[in-house]
Amino acid sequence: MKKQSAKGEPWQSFYGPNLGYVMEVYEQFLEDPSDVDPELKELFEQWGPPTVEDVKVIASAQHGDSSFTLPEQPTALSKMVAAVKLADNIRTYGHLAADINPLNDRNKDTRRIELSEFNLTEEDLKQIPVDFLCPNAPSHIKDGLQAIQHLRQVYTNKLAFEYAHVHELEEKNWLREKIESGSYFPPLSKEKKMALLKRLAQVDGFEKYVHRTFVGQKRFSIEGLDTMVPLLDEMVRYSVESGAKTVNIGMAHRGRLNVLAHVIGKPYEMIFAEFQHAPSKDLIPSEGSIGITFGWTGDVKYHLGADREISPQQSPTARARVTLANNPSHLEVVSPIVAGYTRAAQEVREDKGNPQQSPEASYAVMIHGDAAFPGQGVVAETLNMSQLRGYNTGGSIHLIANNMIGFTTESRDSRSTKYASDTAKGFEVPIVHVNADDPEACLAAAVLAYEYRKTFGKDFVIDLIGYRRFGHNEMDEPMVTNPLMYSVIQNHPNVKKMYADKLISEGIVTDADVEKMDSEIEEELKAAYNKVPAKDDDPDTVLAPPEYVANGLPEINTSVDFDKLEGLNSELLQWPEGFNVFKKLDRILKRRSQVFEGKGKIDWAHAETLAFASILKDGTPIRLTGQDSERGTFAQRHLVLHDEKSGEEYIPLHNLKDSHASFVVHNSPLTETAVVGYEYGYNVFAPETLVLWEAQFGDFSNMAQVMFDQFISAGRAKWGQKTGLVMLLPHGYEGQGPEHSSARLERFLQLGGEYNWTVANCSTAGQYFHILRRQAAILQKEEVRPLVIMTPKSLLRNQFAAVTAEELANGEFHSVLEQKGLGESPDAIERVVLCSGKIAIDLEEKLQDIDDKDWLHILRVEEIYPFPKGDITAILERYPNLKELVWIQEEPKNMGAWTFAESRLRDIAPDGVDVHYIGRRRRSSPSEGEPTVHKKEQSRIINEALTR
């Protein structure tokens, strides 16, 4: 039990600012005792809350606004304590009273920051020293009243701050000093104000011109959030002058065309050509500073991205690349992708070991919608990744484009929190709310955000609060669903008009200056429009992919010299002297040394490690991530070894002689959507790197379906965005139930078209070795495409799937493998069974018990997409008496590869040859939940395929 207040207790020795400090620390103690200095923590535990004579701080564990009481006869000291609490409340709750809503300056909650709530008068405050309330106040603040007035001005103006949830004292104190000193918000020069007005006029002029010229066409206007553009301008300028070399922006469609035109510099005429459905490729600037890529099927204009090289006027030697990522209408899914871009841009991968990361070289700006930020789970997934060692980028800057509505849904129906930004609080991310009608405050927010990111390497949120001038798109009539809001908006002047009026009142510009500015912008827009070619009335409707895509992969030699492989194997089995690998694991790994002497075979994980080692020796960096990928979900991989005594880590692939390529493997968070997007983005920005993502179980990948659908399978056709990403999806029916069986092979096959990716279901470790090496070899070729592999579980250690060292040294990847021991009597063959993946090994095991096999042949279709029609046809031509082609699979009939393969098999089946299916019936669930039922059904399928 704590000792209560008594004469001589330690708090009697604390006065003035020291007492205020102790009170503040006690608040932190109540929130999290571990955050407090151990000596003070001990005092609090022993003596309770700070008390001094006739005043006692009764701190609340939840809210600060009731954390004190004044005695009946207040003393100077008790008033001082109340004033400290008032100052802290202004810092904590000032945002509730701030002028941050451009449509409504009412409904402000000032109760927690009123003098009357603290029984204080202005005279009381005048007696209190400034440093006691606001140690970072500007020099003109002379007493406590002015200090409180200053704090109210700072925390309740057009900028409002939330950082009480940030636990790190260094960060909290830094933010307090920056905010209260005003150092992040210097007065703008006349030239800067005029440039800001011109930018707002360009933003406004562009929207109005498009509105008049392309009536009723969707553009997702920026109007109401016009200041987003100068905010981005300022952030880019400031960061590049501070050393950033790459700025990656991800955003949804709201305001995207304006950002493309003004931040990225996409020519007006290109945008107008897209509105007019006219050819636009010839309008790309010839000097090459703008990077605009095209796919062959294309995308709507407000999904497209671009990039450009910039050099700020103030620092002409500072050059950087600014990229706006392509993004479909899945809003927030681009956030982890630009994070992946950023990590790739920060890393140097040209030497062995982990890549060398320089967070100052690049950063991401993620622009979110106010409905999407709390509504889309990928936002929280991305925030969670921000401080993880495999994914951190030194802090991203989040900009909420807050127009206080989602399509037609108002905020009260779209979130359970007060602010759209509240999701970030759980990750201790500082938040600034800024009124979008105050352009100068927006520039200050940009500087503060980047300074924080640069200083602490953490995320920052700017909640840019504006409105939406028109409906969700320009064909909507918002008065139908949101009449009250839009009655206000219709009578609300735009920010360009308000800022122009402000500068006119300051004597910086005149009405004539503004009219001339508007006229010049209008003329520039008209001139751009006049460059647009006529509408293409006979467009290319075939939209065929280029030949280098349509012609498939080139021939690639994936073999590795036997002696070189043996040498790699030896290097991989050498640990540092004194490094204590877990004894059982040590014995298992050391067995690998014998396979090059003809003892035993190379299993799946061994083949993978040798593939990685040989790829690294060839100079290709590797990045592998996934849930439990360091060890492997099935305890098969062990790329990271742990000393059983010290816990120290050792990665053999980091220590290959004469290797000049980095290798990294990370266990990922329990997330699919964001991690897959991140790895895709990483590979887009680091195309020379073999990037692999592994699902813990293949069916978990369905949480990342949007990434497969919108980006990985279609990104090149839509945007010309290349990737060689590898997806490893454990797949196979071992009686583990519906959620640990199927990687949903059918979905990846359904998405197959235009040679957009490779879908493989390998049955041997040798095939896996060679397909990985083939993938690494095509990374920087025009033919590059992603690779989806159904990886095994039970086959990881199955000797029928293991191979000899010669198969790695002298083999290659085969799209179709013939079952050894079958098909040797061509005239006798009546049935050819086709299968893929694990069931091929089940068939091989069962064949050991069968004598009558001359009538049967089995083909393993290892690469299912693109479907190897030519290879299968050439094999079938050897069998003149063939009667039936049978497709056998573990998956239900409506899943797996059958629905994909059936029509293709019927196309190539010789005349009179029947094509039919053996497997499970059509099901709604992928697998049985009972192991004994599974075994019985699996046995039936195998026996039926092998029975005449």
Side-chain angles (χ1 to χ4, degrees):
M1 185 174 175
K2 290 179 183 176
K3 185 175 180 181
Q4 297 304 311
S5 304
K7 283 286 182 184
E9 71 176 55
W11 311 131
Q12 299 297 324
S13 60
F14 286 85
Y15 298 95
N18 291 332
L19 174 61
Y21 170 75
V22 172
M23 290 158 49
E24 184 178 339
V25 175
Y26 186 72
E27 292 285 345
Q28 293 158 10
F29 168 78
L30 291 173
E31 288 184 14
D32 185 355
S34 63
D35 261 1
V36 175
D37 178 83
E39 291 185 8
L40 278 176
K41 179 173 177 284
E42 186 177 339
L43 287 175
F44 293 144
E45 289 172 343
Q46 181 178 357
W47 295 99
T51 60
V52 181
E53 296 178 351
D54 60 344
V55 58
K56 179 173 181 176
V57 180
I58 310 169
S60 162
Q62 295 181 336
H63 299 292
D65 54 325
S66 60
S67 62
F68 68 94
T69 58
L70 278 174
E72 291 183 7
Q73 295 182 326
T75 64
L77 183 57
S78 63
K79 287 182 180 292
M80 192 176 287
V81 171
V84 168
K85 200 60 203 170
L86 169 60
D88 282 346
N89 268 22
I90 293 172
R91 295 180 177 104
T92 305
Y93 301 107
H95 59 89
L96 299 174
D99 186 13
I100 53 177
N101 185 337
L103 301 182
N104 180 12
D105 61 358
R106 299 178 300 278
N107 301 324
K108 295 190 174 76
D109 182 357
T110 62
R111 181 176 63 85
R112 296 173 178 83
I113 60 173
E114 296 291 351
L115 270 62
S116 57
E117 283 291 306
F118 296 81
N119 293 328
L120 290 170
T121 67
E122 291 188 357
E123 287 303 315
D124 292 335
L125 291 175
K126 287 179 181 178
Q127 308 308 311
I128 298 174
V130 172
D131 286 350
F132 195 82
L133 302 178
C134 185
N136 301 306
S139 59
H140 67 272
I141 304 299
K142 300 302 183 184
D143 60 39
L145 175 59
Q146 291 182 7
I148 291 297
Q149 290 170 339
H150 172 70
L151 290 175
R152 287 180 67 100
Q153 169 67 18
V154 165
Y155 285 98
T156 68
N157 207 334
K158 305 284 188 178
L159 279 164
F161 307 92
E162 290 190 90
Y163 59 93
H165 56 280
V166 177
H167 292 160
E168 288 292 335
L169 277 177
E170 184 183 359
E171 296 174 34
K172 191 176 287 189
N173 291 336
W174 183 92
L175 287 163
R176 181 183 297 173
E177 188 277 328
K178 287 285 183 182
I179 294 165
E180 295 175 16
S181 69
S183 61
Y184 74 99
F185 199 167
L188 300 186
S189 66
K190 176 182 175 182
E191 292 73 22
K192 184 102 177 188
K193 289 184 178 183
M194 291 178 66
L196 178 52
L197 176 61
K198 183 177 181 180
R199 183 56 110 196
L200 290 171
Q202 290 172 327
V203 170
D204 182 53
F206 173 84
E207 295 292 353
K208 287 178 176 174
Y209 187 84
V210 171
H211 193 68
R212 292 194 310 270
T213 309
F214 306 104
V215 178
Q217 286 207 47
K218 292 181 183 179
R219 73 180 190 276
F220 299 99
S221 153
I222 202 172
E223 291 162 278
L225 290 169
D226 309 53
T227 45
M228 183 197 303
V229 169
L231 190 158
L232 289 171
D233 284 339
E234 181 71 1
M235 191 178 298
V236 169
R237 179 200 66 78
Y238 192 82
S239 63
V240 173
E241 290 178 359
S242 298
K245 300 299 182 188
T246 309
V247 183
N248 298 308
I249 304 173
M251 69 181 298
H253 40 268
R254 175 71 51 211
R256 188 180 187 87
L257 295 182
N258 219 305
V259 170
L260 276 168
H262 296 119
V263 179
I264 304 298
K266 184 173 182 178
Y268 289 145
E269 51 266 33
M270 284 200 74
I271 298 173
F272 295 161
E274 290 160 1
F275 273 106
Q276 198 150 299
H277 310 292
S280 63
K281 293 181 183 179
D282 292 340
L283 301 174
I284 300 174
S286 58
E287 74 274 10
S289 63
I290 303 290
I292 298 174
T293 54
F294 292 88
W296 51 91
T297 59
D299 201 349
V300 293
K301 53 192 165 289
Y302 41 81
H303 290 171
L304 300 176
D307 64 87
R308 75 167 172 128
E309 190 175 84
I310 67 160
S311 180
Q313 290 182 351
Q314 296 87 341
S315 303
T317 59
R319 306 189 73 81
R321 201 82 190 170
V322 182
T323 297
L324 178 64
N326 304 294
N327 190 29
S329 287
H330 282 72
L331 303 178
E332 298 297 334
V333 292
V334 77
S335 294
I337 290 171
V338 297
Y341 284 5
T342 302
R343 178 69 175 250
Q346 292 173 351
E347 290 188 338
V348 176
R349 295 168 287 274
E350 296 172 354
D351 205 355
K352 62 184 177 183
N354 288 318
Q356 299 303 305
Q357 185 182 4
S358 301
E360 67 279 1
S362 177
Y363 73 102
V365 181
M366 302 176 189
I367 304 175
H368 312 268
D370 57 295
F373 193 80
Q376 296 283 310
V378 69
V379 174
E381 291 184 23
T382 306
L383 287 167
N384 181 57
M385 293 162 64
S386 66
Q387 292 300 307
L388 304 181
R389 62 175 180 165
Y391 305 91
N392 84 75
T393 59
S396 298
I397 296 174
H398 302 265
L399 175 60
I400 299 177
N402 191 342
N403 47 41
M404 299 186 287
I405 195 167
F407 206 147
T408 65
T409 304
E410 296 195 39
S411 300
R412 64 177 179 267
D413 291 321
S414 69
R415 64 174 185 262
S416 295
T417 57
K418 179 171 182 61
Y419 295 117
S421 55
D422 284 347
T423 301
K425 288 183 179 178
F427 299 93
E428 299 186 41
V429 177
I431 298 163
V432 56
H433 308 280
V434 58
N435 189 319
D437 276 357
D438 188 335
E440 295 181 14
C442 291
L443 300 196
V447 171
L448 180 66
Y450 190 76
E451 277 291 309
Y452 176 84
R453 185 258 177 198
K454 181 180 176 183
T455 304
F456 297 105
K458 292 185 176 180
D459 290 23
F460 194 99
V461 170
I462 300 172
D463 182 14
L464 179 66
I465 302 176
Y467 55 92
R468 191 181 68 195
R469 175 68 64 181
F470 301 105
H472 176 67
N473 62 62
E474 285 64 37
M475 293 182 290
D476 286 337
E477 175 47 78
M479 286 297 290
V480 173
T481 51
N482 308 93
L484 296 181
M485 175 185 282
Y486 276 86
S487 295
V488 176
I489 290 172
Q490 286 173 359
N491 296 305
H492 188 77
N494 72 16
V495 65
K496 177 255 173 179
K497 174 71 168 60
M498 289 190 290
Y499 195 60
D501 290 346
K502 179 177 184 290
L503 296 195
I504 290 169
S505 70
E506 292 178 4
I508 293 176
V509 295
T510 65
D511 285 314
D513 293 332
V514 176
E515 288 178 13
K516 182 182 178 185
M517 185 183 293
D518 290 341
S519 175
E520 289 173 349
I521 291 167
E522 175 82 5
E523 290 304 312
E524 183 183 359
L525 291 162
K526 285 180 179 177
Y529 180 76
N530 290 334
K531 294 179 184 177
V532 176
K535 179 181 179 181
D536 189 351
D537 291 320
D538 185 27
D540 173 18
T541 57
V542 177
L543 301 174
E547 286 188 11
Y548 51 74
V549 172
N551 290 342
L553 298 182
E555 290 292 327
I556 293 173
N557 179 8
T558 58
S559 64
V560 181
D561 180 78
F562 187 95
D563 291 339
K564 182 179 178 182
L565 266 182
E566 186 175 18
L568 288 172
N569 193 60
S570 177
E571 287 187 66
L572 292 167
L573 295 172
Q574 296 172 10
W575 346 124
E577 187 176 345
F579 189 85
N580 304 291
V581 177
F582 179 58
K583 291 182 177 55
K584 182 178 179 182
L585 176 60
D586 185 271
R587 288 194 300 272
I588 292 170
L589 293 177
K590 288 295 175 63
R591 286 185 204 137
R592 293 179 176 182
S593 63
Q594 301 172 357
V595 296
F596 287 87
E597 302 166 5
K599 299 176 184 177
K601 290 184 173 182
I602 297 173
D603 64 16
W604 204 274
H606 190 185
E608 178 186 72
T609 306
L610 289 170
F612 287 165
S614 64
I615 290 166
L616 292 170
K617 278 291 183 82
D618 290 342
T620 298
I622 297 174
R623 174 182 168 90
L624 166 63
T625 71
Q627 292 147 1
D628 311 291
S629 289
E630 293 181 9
R631 187 200 74 170
T633 296
F634 311 101
Q636 85 280 9
R637 182 173 284 128
H638 300 291
L639 291 178
V640 179
L641 304 177
H642 299 265
D643 188 298
E644 64 176 338
K645 295 180 179 177
S646 68
E648 181 185 352
E649 293 183 352
Y650 177 74
I651 300 177
L653 286 167
H654 280 178
N655 295 279
L656 300 175
K657 297 172 187 172
D658 303 319
S659 174
H660 297 286
S662 65
F663 172 81
V664 69
V665 54
H666 288 296
N667 290 336
S668 76
L670 195 65
T671 299
E672 289 81 31
T673 307
V675 172
V676 173
Y678 189 102
E679 301 307 335
Y680 169 78
Y682 190 103
N683 195 218
V684 167
F685 246 66
E688 84 293 351
T689 303
L690 182 66
V691 180
L692 308 98
W693 173 74
E694 181 177 55
Q696 189 178 74
F697 284 87
D699 51 279
F700 293 2
S701 68
N702 58 21
M703 292 296 291
Q705 196 66 44
V706 64
M707 296 300 180
F708 304 134
D709 292 348
Q710 300 294 335
F711 292 91
I712 302 169
S713 70
R716 191 164 191 187
K718 292 192 291 188
W719 314 310
Q721 190 158 287
K722 294 185 289 187
T723 177
L725 181 67
V726 179
M727 289 143 281
L728 306 177
L729 312 177
H731 175 88
Y733 282 53
E734 283 98 358
Q736 295 189 50
E739 270 61 66
H740 285 159
S741 295
S742 177
R744 295 294 190 171
L745 170 62
E746 64 278 0
R747 294 180 183 170
F748 296 95
L749 295 175
Q750 183 184 32
L751 290 169
E754 301 178 314
Y755 302 92
N756 60 331
W757 58 15
T758 301
V759 181
N761 194 8
C762 301
S763 62
T764 75
Q767 286 282 87
Y768 181 51
F769 173 90
H770 289 293
I771 201 170
L772 286 177
R773 285 188 48 76
R774 185 181 76 173
Q775 188 69 8
I778 66 169
L779 285 173
Q780 298 198 73
K781 298 180 182 294
E782 285 294 340
E783 297 90 343
V784 67
R785 64 206 63 189
L787 171 61
V788 182
I789 307 182
M790 304 290 115
T791 54
K793 295 175 293 209
S794 62
L795 295 194
L796 290 170
R797 297 173 177 85
N798 190 307
Q799 286 304 295
F800 285 101
V803 295
T804 64
E806 285 76 9
E807 289 181 68
L808 304 189
N810 303 314
E812 61 181 338
F813 178 76
H814 299 275
S815 58
V816 179
L817 276 183
E818 298 185 61
Q819 176 62 52
K820 293 176 182 176
L822 297 183
E824 296 171 356
S825 303
D827 292 342
I829 299 298
E830 297 179 0
R831 175 188 290 177
V832 170
V833 173
L834 297 105
C835 60
S836 190
K838 170 187 161 287
I839 203 165
I841 301 300
D842 291 347
L843 290 167
E844 184 173 4
E845 289 178 333
K846 185 65 176 178
L847 282 171
Q848 312 308 307
D849 303 327
I850 297 175
D851 294 327
D852 180 17
K853 312 184 255 205
D854 287 350
W855 60 280
L856 173 72
H857 197 21
I858 297 174
L859 306 182
R860 303 178 184 182
V861 183
E862 303 278 296
E863 180 179 285
I864 312 174
Y865 183 79
F867 195 72
K869 278 187 177 182
D871 294 342
I872 296 172
T873 300
I875 295 170
L876 297 183
E877 288 173 350
R878 304 202 303 252
Y879 307 123
N881 298 315
L882 184 64
K883 295 180 180 178
E884 58 179 340
L885 284 181
V886 174
W887 182 271
I888 176 176
Q889 66 181 37
E890 306 178 294
E891 304 88 352
K893 192 173 185 179
N894 55 322
M895 303 177 195
W898 166 246
T899 53
F900 174 84
E902 180 185 8
S903 61
R904 292 162 175 80
L905 292 178
R906 294 192 188 283
D907 283 347
I908 63 177
D911 291 342
V913 173
D914 183 36
V915 176
H916 64 96
Y917 164 86
I918 295 175
R920 287 169 169 80
R921 53 174 280 187
R922 295 177 68 86
R923 294 281 189 189
S924 54
S925 177
S927 167
E928 307 89 355
E930 175 54 55
T932 55
V933 175
H934 161 80
K935 288 177 92 174
K936 190 171 182 179
E937 184 69 349
Q938 196 80 351
S939 179
R940 175 194 67 79
I941 293 167
I942 299 299
N943 289 333
E944 191 175 331
L946 300 180
T947 301
R948 201 167 193 165

